[in-house]
Structures are given as C-alpha cells and as structure tokens.
Amino acid sequence: MEWIRSGYNMLNKQPRALMGSTMEECDPQACYDSFKEHWHQALKIINRTQQLPKNDDVLGVVNHLEQMVTLLLYDMKKIDQLRVPISSSSQCLEYMLAENILDKLFEWGVRAGKFKDAVRCEQLKLYEVLISRSRHVLLVHEPFLRPMLKLLNSCKDELFSRDIEKLLVDLLNQLCALLMQNVDLIDLFFQKNENNSRFIIFLLLIPFVHREDSIGMRARDGLLLCMSLSKKNKDVATYIVERSNFAVLAASGLNGLYSLLPNILDDISVPDWRRLTPDDVNDIKGLSTFVTSLEFSNAVAQVAHPMIRKQLQEFLFRGFLIPVLGPALLQTNTDEQVAATAYLELILRTVTQPGLLYALLKFLINMDYDGQRLLNILIQRINSASELCLVSLSLFETMVNLNCEDMMLELVFQHLQPCLHLMLSQRRMLLPLDPHCQSFEKLLNLAPTCCDLPTSPRTDNIHWNHYGGQQSLCGKYHAYLYDARNKIASCQAACQSWNNSYTGCDEILQDPSNTEENCNSLSSLGESSGYESLKIKIDDSDEIPVWQISSNKVKKSTPVVIDNDHLNSSGSAGLFLTILLEKLKNFLSNSFYINLHVTGLISRLAVYPQPLLRTYLLDDSLVLQPNVPSLFQIIGSLKQSIDEYMNRRSDSASLIRAAKDFLVDRETRLINARRNTLEKSSSFNMEPEPFQRNEPKRRSLNLPSFTKMLGRRPSQVAENSVAMVPTEEYSCNLLYPKFNEAQHVALCAVLLDEWVKELAALAQEHTIAQLAALFK
C-alpha cells in the first residue's frame, strides 16, 4: 500500500482539527462532524466513478477511509472509557451503520478494476479494527455483518499480495477468537442451502495450512480455534468432516513435505548418532516444516470434535503412513533405511495425542508387507550394521517409553504371559516377591573382577565400586538407586490404567499338570487390552493418557483356549527380547556405542513393574527353558570372557583406569560441547530453538565441527597408565577415537561394571516399591 500513500496530497477541504497530537483534545461532536465530512468527500468520488475509477480517485477514497478509521478509533476509545455500550453511544458508528457505508464501499470496490485489491485492503483493515474494539457487538448489526460477509466471500479462490493475505488472516483469526467467546454467533457465518453449506472463515483459512511464514502460523492458530469451535457446535464439526477437504489436505501435505526430505542423512556422521535432535530438525532441509505440519495435526486431534479426530486419524493412516512411510522404511538401501527409521522415530516423539498415536501404533503393529509384519522387520534390524542398529534401538526405546499397553503387549507380554518361557515346574508359581532381593547382590557380583582396582574403596560384603570424579555420576551407586526409584514410580503411574497386571498367574484357572481336565483357559489377550483389536473406538474424552490408547472401554471376548501340549512345549521370550539379548551376547564385538544403547534399552524394559517382565530380566531364581536367553547367564558369560582377557594382560589395571578416565572425560566434553554451542548461538543473537523434545538438545555435528568447537586436549592420566590415545585418523577428534582391541575390552569392562549397578538398583527399588504397596 506504500504506492498509494506516497503519491497522494491531502485535499485542502479536509478538516485539520483532528490531525496529529490535537486528536486527544477534540470533543466527540467535532469527531463526529469530521467523520461525516470525510465520508461525504469519499462518497462524492464513489458516485462519480461508478465504473473503472482512476488512480487519483482510489487514492482519495483510501485516504478518507484512513481518516475515518482514525476518527472511529478515537470515538470508540472515548466511549469505552465511559464503560457504556459502543454501538448505542458512538455517533460515528451509528452514522456508519445508518448510512450503510460499508456496503456502499464494498460495491464500489468490486468495480474498482485494477485497484480492487487496494480498496479491499482498506476494507480488511477497517473490519479488523472495528471488531477488535467493539468485540462481538457489531456482528449482530446487518449493515456491518452483510458487507463483511460479502467481502470475505469475494476473497475465496483469489490470489493476493502478502500484505492482503496478512490482513485477511488477521481478520479471520480475530473472528475465530470472537466466536470462541460467543458461540451463539457461529450461525452468522454459515451459509446454508438445500445442497450445500459452508463455513466461510474455515474455508478461507484452509489454503494457508502448510505455509511456512508468520501468515501460516497465524492461519493455523485460527484453524485450531475453528477445531475447538467444532466441539461446541456440531454444525462446524459436520461441515469440516463432510464439506471441507481438511483431512485430505493434512495427509497430502505431510506426503508432500516428507517427499522433500533427504533420502540419506549425509551430514550426520558421528559414530554414536541414533536420533534426530532439535538441532538436526532445524538444520536438515525441509524437516522443520514437516515437523511443524505434524505438530499442527497433533494439536488438531487434541482440540477437535471426535468426528474430526477420527477422520484425521484415518487419512493419516491410509493417506500417509501406508502409502508413504511404509515403502520408505522398506527400501533396500541401508542408508535410506537409516533415514526413514530416524524420521519414524521423530514422528513417534512428535505425535503425543492418543487419536493420532493410535494410527501410528496401528500402522506399526498391524501392517505387513509381502507376508512379513512391519514390526518384525524393524526388530530384526537391531542385528544390522552399526548405523541402522543404533537408529533401530532408538526407535524401540521411543516405543517402550510410550508406556502403551498395546505396544508392550506386542513386543513382550503376549510371549511371556502364557509362561511358556519357564520350565513346567515353575508355571504354577506366583512369581513371588523376594523381600531380601537376593538378585541385587547376584547382579553386583557379576561385575568384572578386573574393574575392582586396589585404589577403589569397597565395602566388606557387597562388591560395588565408588570410583569417578566429583563432577561425574560414574560409579556412584546411590545415584543409580535414586534414578531407579524415580523411573519406576513414573512408569507405575503410567501403567496404572492398564487392563492387565501381567503377573503370569492370575489368568491360569486350572492345574496344567492335570492345561485330563478341560483345557487351560486364558482370558483373551486380544480384547482385554486392545491387542489385535486396534479398531476399537477411542473414548471421546479429551484427556486420554497415552497408555490407555486402546485399553479404554474394551469389551471382553471368548477366552483363548490353550491344549496341554502347548503348555508342555518349549516356549520363547518373543522376537524382540530374543534379538535384543542376542545382540547383548555380542557385547565384545559390538561397537562401544551400540553397547551403550543396547544396555540402555534393556534397563528401560527392566523399569516396567509388571512381574512377568521384571522377574524375567531381574530375578535369577527363575528356571527358564533351555532355548530362552537369560540375562544373568549372558552377563555372567561376558564377565568371564572379559576377566579372562584382562588377566592375560600385564597392563590391565592401566587399561581399566584409562577407560574410566575416558568415559568421565567424554561425559564432561559432551556437556561442554552443548554449552559451547548455546553460547555461540547466543553471541550471534540467534533465536531460541522452537523444537523441544525429550532428547537433550545436543547437535549431531560432523567430526570436524566437533574438533573446532572443543579444541581441548585429553585429560591427563596416571604416569604409568596406558592412555586412550586416538589413532592418527582421529587424532583431532576427542569424543570419538578409535580403540585397539585391548582398549575396547577395557571400555566394555567398565560399561558392564556400571550397568550391573544400574540393574541391581532397579531390582532393589522394585522390591521396595512393591513392599510399600503391600503395606498400604
């Protein structure tokens, strides 16, 4: 609009009493007189230029309109200070409505030819100002509402300049906020006939749904307000579901944005990278826009009417997950599989609303390709090469962190529930709680002997170490206990609404040694928790915890029947636990970073309080089937292998000290790396990162970037120790050196030493938590 303002000189006939600072000194009558005079001048121009006005004509009308807006604001401000109804006290406003000024202005603007947008721009400003000041009062006046609706309808399917788009979206957003406070006025914006109806506000906001700029953000805010209105007015919900193409646009928008993402994550090359961090989201081309669109869909599902939520869920499932994400995950190129898996993991962290998370879980649990279940394909990738293994471990860590009964039933409990992983003699056991928690001491005794250095203090009867500097949690058992207590309490709270307790005994009805009597009966794993029945209706309430996604309002079905032959057969811990523990068996041949995340995922599973999983992982008294992997046996075997190797080396003590120093130093460097990045961002006045997730906000930088950022030398070790000296290839890289065989075994020893403390702390805190529950 600058071209209009810069080329116009005010007419001599215009009153000057209200210009500039003198505005505050004018009385309402002078304001009213000036308002009328400006309109008379504008009306003269309008009347003599009914067809194709010239540049000067449009400039004149626009200038008069700007003056009229200023006068209206002044008049309405004075009236508002008196706390009386604006529409009945503002002479300017009464005059505007009585003279039908807005309608005349619209009709003239339609005939303004190439200047139509200039007039439309001023009208949008006028309506936005009036609505913001008069609140809902003016909407009930036909001389105000009718021309505004005409103006809005004229904007449909039009292409505008950015200035007009901003004014239009601001006005629509203002109307949405107004309707939220005055729901009864919604019908004013519905245009109904026998065959069709449309909600003009929603219709005009839709085209901006995937815009990346501030206009898009403002439009999405308005759309979310419309979604909230759908809960208050069923006509709005029906229109969005039956008459609009919102769900199609949302799904197709995700499709288009996903297709623009890189197939291969070339820029991420650090050896321990496993998931997309907030920095990655901002740095990878197109990813921030994709996440914004996904977050918007998540917000819609959170606030919208259940009909809209269900439709969005269905289109997300059939329009994005199946045709786009599924094939992306099944690509044959390993690097492309890494990228697709990382995107899936990011989607799982981004989508928090049960209605959409439901669609994701349905996709993961129920979909199969060429006779293979997608979930099983993803599980098997844990056995892949390092990058695909790491990103797959991260994906399953995110799945486990959902605390969702359906997912955990699919991964773990459906295999453990029949207790076929136990020897027959133990299937009648109630998985009793051991108040002395003997498994705790057994786990601590599984620490490699080579880590028990003479310089490390130890107690007389329990073998845990307390090495590590004051700035690190490394080796501090009380820290593990505190961490375990918090995690168990959080997980218990998340699982409290599950339909099954998974004790391994409460479903067994008869003596399996007689499972000659009728066949043993188990309550249906499927219908009791939603497994294999993800088609069940999500409850309409807004606040469904994630863990209740499909365990809410579930009908029981005919019990699943098991024959005695099945009970006597050897069972399994299921594909997920079996492959995870098989990966653990390769502890000494895995990379150090894979071992970090394998042990972390197993520890997260051990946080779950359900007896079936807790005892399988943390109870050494269980007698398992010969083909079922035992965590205690695997750790015991690793301890023996490590000790045998280190006993053959004369420098074992120095290797262990160097490994401990490296891990503590690495912990410090990771913290400093992030701090340096934040300080650097602050020094360049960069905006704060908008994407905040559960992951610590550490940048997945490439190796040279880390070198430049840190610029520090490794910390000094004891004079007689063997330092973790990087090879020449990684001589500048302090976080990710390459290790020789002896150094790698020493690192594995220290990691295993720390891990058994973590598991022992979980075993202890589980016992305390359950004893506390018994005495309540």
Side-chain angles (χ1 to χ4, degrees):
M1 294 302 295
E2 193 60 32
W3 62 272
I4 293 180
R5 297 189 183 96
S6 61
Y8 182 72
N9 293 319
M10 293 177 58
L11 298 177
N12 293 330
K13 293 183 180 179
Q14 290 181 352
R16 300 178 181 273
L18 299 177
M19 304 307 294
S21 60
T22 59
M23 188 71 187
E24 293 297 326
E25 303 170 4
C26 294
D27 61 81
Q29 185 61 41
C31 178
Y32 172 58
D33 292 339
S34 293
F35 184 87
K36 288 197 302 181
E37 180 61 26
H38 277 292
W39 173 241
H40 289 156
Q41 296 296 331
L43 189 59
K44 287 180 182 180
I45 301 174
I46 290 173
N47 288 335
R48 75 166 185 264
T49 57
Q50 290 297 317
Q51 297 294 333
L52 298 177
K54 296 180 180 179
N55 183 48
D56 288 345
D57 299 325
V58 175
L59 289 172
V61 172
V62 167
N63 184 75
H64 286 300
L65 284 176
E66 288 181 339
Q67 300 302 319
M68 290 169 67
V69 170
T70 303
L71 291 163
L72 266 174
L73 285 174
Y74 171 78
D75 195 32
M76 293 166 69
K77 179 181 179 181
K78 290 293 187 182
I79 298 300
D80 192 46
Q81 290 173 349
L82 296 176
R83 298 185 182 278
V84 294
I86 290 176
S87 61
S88 62
S89 303
S90 171
Q91 289 181 295
C92 294
L93 200 54
E94 287 183 354
Y95 180 79
M96 184 187 73
L97 297 176
E99 290 294 312
N100 209 12
I101 289 176
L102 296 174
D103 200 54
K104 292 175 182 176
L105 185 61
F106 172 78
E107 296 298 336
W108 182 74
V110 171
R111 299 187 294 272
K114 64 180 181 180
F115 304 113
K116 182 168 62 175
D117 283 352
V119 180
R120 181 182 276 144
C121 186
E122 294 305 314
Q123 291 177 86
L124 289 170
K125 285 196 294 186
L126 178 60
Y127 284 114
E128 199 276 333
V129 167
L130 291 174
I131 289 175
S132 65
R133 289 306 181 100
S134 66
R135 295 173 291 277
H136 70 285
V137 177
L138 283 176
L139 292 181
V140 298
H141 293 276
E142 188 175 349
F144 179 88
L145 179 65
R146 185 178 65 251
M148 184 176 69
L149 289 175
K150 286 182 180 180
L151 178 65
L152 293 179
N153 280 299
S154 72
C155 294
K156 183 180 179 295
D157 300 325
E158 289 276 352
L159 294 177
F160 298 122
S161 67
R162 180 180 173 83
D163 286 341
I164 296 183
E165 285 180 338
K166 184 180 184 306
L167 289 169
L168 175 61
V169 171
D170 283 345
L171 173 59
L172 295 171
N173 200 290
Q174 186 85 6
L175 289 170
C176 290
L178 195 62
L179 294 179
M180 278 294 293
Q181 301 168 9
N182 304 273
V183 183
D184 294 340
L185 300 178
I186 290 177
D187 288 342
L188 298 176
F189 295 89
F190 261 96
Q191 297 163 320
K192 301 178 181 178
N193 55 47
E194 294 181 359
N195 300 320
N196 196 9
S197 66
R198 66 180 184 180
F199 183 29
I200 188 61
I201 296 176
F202 189 84
L203 192 64
L204 291 174
L205 286 171
I206 280 287
F208 301 97
V209 66
H210 293 302
R211 282 277 289 267
E212 300 181 38
D213 54 15
S214 60
I215 296 175
M217 293 177 61
R218 188 83 166 143
R220 286 187 289 274
D221 288 342
L223 286 167
L224 286 177
L225 288 172
C226 288
M227 295 300 174
S228 298
L229 283 171
S230 71
K231 280 189 175 178
K232 301 183 177 184
N233 186 296
K234 193 171 182 181
D235 285 341
V236 176
T238 303
Y239 168 79
I240 294 174
V241 170
E242 297 180 0
R243 300 291 182 183
S244 80
N245 60 347
F246 171 76
V248 177
L249 279 175
S252 62
L254 287 174
N255 289 356
L257 293 172
Y258 187 90
S259 68
L260 298 176
L261 298 179
N263 290 333
I264 298 175
L265 302 174
D266 290 324
D267 295 335
I268 299 176
S269 55
V270 292
D272 71 338
W273 183 87
R274 64 192 181 107
R275 65 172 46 161
L276 293 162
T277 68
D279 293 306
D280 298 328
V281 171
N282 291 329
D283 290 345
I284 295 174
K285 183 179 180 181
L287 189 52
S288 179
T289 306
F290 175 80
V291 169
T292 298
S293 181
L294 192 63
E295 288 178 322
F296 173 68
S297 296
N298 187 66
V300 168
Q302 189 171 1
V303 303
H305 189 280
M307 290 194 305
I308 300 172
R309 186 190 311 155
K310 182 177 180 181
Q311 186 186 55
L312 182 59
Q313 166 195 310
E314 188 65 21
F315 274 90
L316 179 69
F317 181 72
R318 299 195 179 279
F320 171 65
L321 296 176
I322 293 178
V324 178
L325 191 56
L329 289 166
L330 298 175
Q331 297 171 99
T332 56
N333 183 285
T334 301
D335 290 334
E336 292 178 344
Q337 291 174 356
V338 169
T341 306
Y343 294 146
L344 171 60
E345 191 276 336
L346 178 64
I347 291 170
L348 270 176
R349 273 188 289 142
T350 304
V351 173
T352 59
Q353 210 287 326
L356 292 191
L357 193 54
Y358 169 94
L360 276 166
L361 296 179
K362 180 180 178 182
F363 168 70
L364 288 169
I365 293 175
N366 288 356
M367 288 308 299
D368 64 75
Y369 293 86
D370 297 329
Q372 272 197 300
R373 297 183 64 208
L374 176 61
L375 189 61
N376 289 348
I377 294 173
L378 296 174
I379 290 173
Q380 289 165 347
R381 289 180 180 173
I382 293 175
N383 272 334
S384 302
S386 62
E387 285 189 356
L388 185 56
C389 174
L390 280 171
V391 77
S392 298
L393 287 169
S394 178
L395 173 64
F396 284 100
E397 182 181 355
T398 299
M399 290 184 191
V400 170
N401 281 333
L402 293 176
N403 297 312
C404 171
E405 183 173 12
D406 284 286
M407 181 54 71
M408 290 304 296
L409 179 59
E410 183 62 33
L411 292 175
V412 173
F413 292 118
Q414 66 160 318
H415 306 287
L416 299 182
Q417 183 73 4
C419 293
L420 299 181
H421 62 294
L422 301 176
M423 294 297 287
L424 182 60
S425 60
Q426 293 217 330
R427 291 177 195 164
R428 282 283 294 166
M429 292 180 63
L430 303 182
L431 302 180
L433 179 68
D434 176 13
H436 302 292
C437 192
Q438 296 178 354
S439 296
F440 142 74
E441 190 168 359
K442 178 66 178 292
L443 282 164
L444 290 176
N445 287 329
L446 289 176
T449 306
C450 62
C451 291
D452 192 12
L453 300 177
T455 56
S456 299
R458 51 183 290 188
T459 62
D460 292 335
N461 39 18
I462 294 177
H463 301 280
W464 68 63
N465 298 326
H466 294 275
Y467 58 80
Q470 291 184 352
Q471 301 303 315
S472 173
L473 295 179
C474 186
K476 297 182 180 178
Y477 187 69
H478 69 276
Y480 285 118
L481 287 171
Y482 180 80
D483 185 59
R485 183 175 306 167
N486 290 335
K487 288 179 178 176
I488 290 170
S490 176
C491 193
Q492 282 179 327
C495 298
Q496 64 183 355
S497 296
W498 282 19
N499 278 3
N500 292 307
S501 57
Y502 302 105
T503 63
C505 64
D506 53 355
E507 289 81 11
I508 298 182
L509 305 180
Q510 300 177 18
D511 186 349
S513 64
N514 192 344
T515 178
E516 298 178 1
E517 297 265 344
N518 294 329
C519 293
N520 185 49
S521 175
L522 300 178
S523 66
S524 169
L525 290 180
E527 295 298 326
S528 62
S529 66
Y531 170 67
E532 293 182 345
S533 62
L534 280 169
K535 61 183 179 296
I536 65 167
K537 178 183 177 183
I538 299 293
D539 186 78
D540 289 348
S541 64
D542 292 330
E543 300 177 359
I544 312 175
V546 169
W547 57 88
Q548 288 186 7
I549 285 174
S550 56
S551 61
N552 218 28
K553 292 189 175 179
V554 185
K555 297 180 180 178
K556 301 278 184 176
S557 67
T558 306
V560 174
V561 176
I562 307 293
D563 56 60
N564 289 324
D565 291 340
H566 223 88
L567 287 172
N568 285 293
S569 67
S570 47
S572 163
L575 182 65
F576 177 58
L577 287 174
T578 300
I579 285 187
L580 193 58
L581 292 179
E582 287 294 327
K583 195 69 176 179
L584 181 64
K585 286 182 181 179
N586 299 324
F587 195 73
L588 293 177
S589 58
N590 294 336
S591 75
F592 170 69
Y593 308 107
I594 286 179
N595 285 338
L596 277 176
H597 299 304
V598 167
T599 55
L601 181 52
I602 294 173
S603 291
R604 177 60 184 88
L605 288 168
V607 168
Y608 274 92
Q610 287 76 16
L612 270 172
L613 183 54
R614 172 181 57 79
T615 56
Y616 173 67
L617 293 176
L618 299 177
D619 189 346
D620 72 311
S621 68
L622 290 187
V623 183
L624 302 174
Q625 292 279 6
N627 63 324
V628 176
S630 164
L631 183 60
F632 282 85
Q633 290 178 0
I634 294 173
I635 295 177
S637 176
L638 293 175
K639 165 188 165 65
Q640 182 178 354
S641 298
I642 289 172
D643 282 336
E644 287 177 355
Y645 181 93
M646 298 304 290
N647 286 338
R648 293 195 296 267
R649 298 192 61 95
S650 60
D651 58 352
S652 62
S654 297
L655 285 168
I656 294 298
R657 288 193 187 96
K660 293 176 181 178
D661 287 338
F662 168 77
L663 292 179
V664 173
D665 192 56
R666 181 177 185 272
E667 178 186 350
T668 303
R669 291 182 186 281
L670 286 173
I671 295 172
N672 288 337
R674 184 59 197 168
R675 183 183 296 121
N676 290 343
T677 301
L678 292 176
E679 290 175 355
K680 184 178 179 181
S681 298
S682 176
S683 66
F684 282 99
N685 295 320
M686 296 177 66
E687 294 182 2
E689 301 159 273
F691 182 77
Q692 298 184 12
R693 292 286 172 263
N694 296 328
E695 179 75 0
K697 297 166 73 171
R698 180 174 64 80
R699 197 177 191 81
S700 292
L701 296 173
N702 55 30
L703 300 179
S705 298
F706 259 130
T707 303
K708 293 176 184 177
M709 181 167 53
L710 292 176
R712 295 176 52 193
R713 294 183 178 181
S715 59
Q716 298 297 316
V717 295
E719 185 176 346
N720 62 342
S721 68
V722 179
M724 291 293 182
V725 181
T727 64
E728 183 176 351
E729 179 183 359
Y730 287 80
S731 60
C732 294
N733 179 15
L734 306 178
L735 282 174
Y736 305 106
K738 266 189 175 178
F739 305 107
N740 61 36
E741 181 182 83
Q743 292 170 337
H744 177 70
V745 175
L747 279 173
C748 289
V750 175
L751 177 58
L752 189 64
D753 185 48
E754 290 296 313
W755 188 40
V756 294
K757 296 182 182 67
E758 183 178 44
L759 294 175
L762 285 168
Q764 270 194 304
E765 290 299 330
H766 271 304
T767 301
I768 293 171
Q770 292 185 61
L771 285 174
L774 289 175
F775 288 106
K776 278 186 179 179

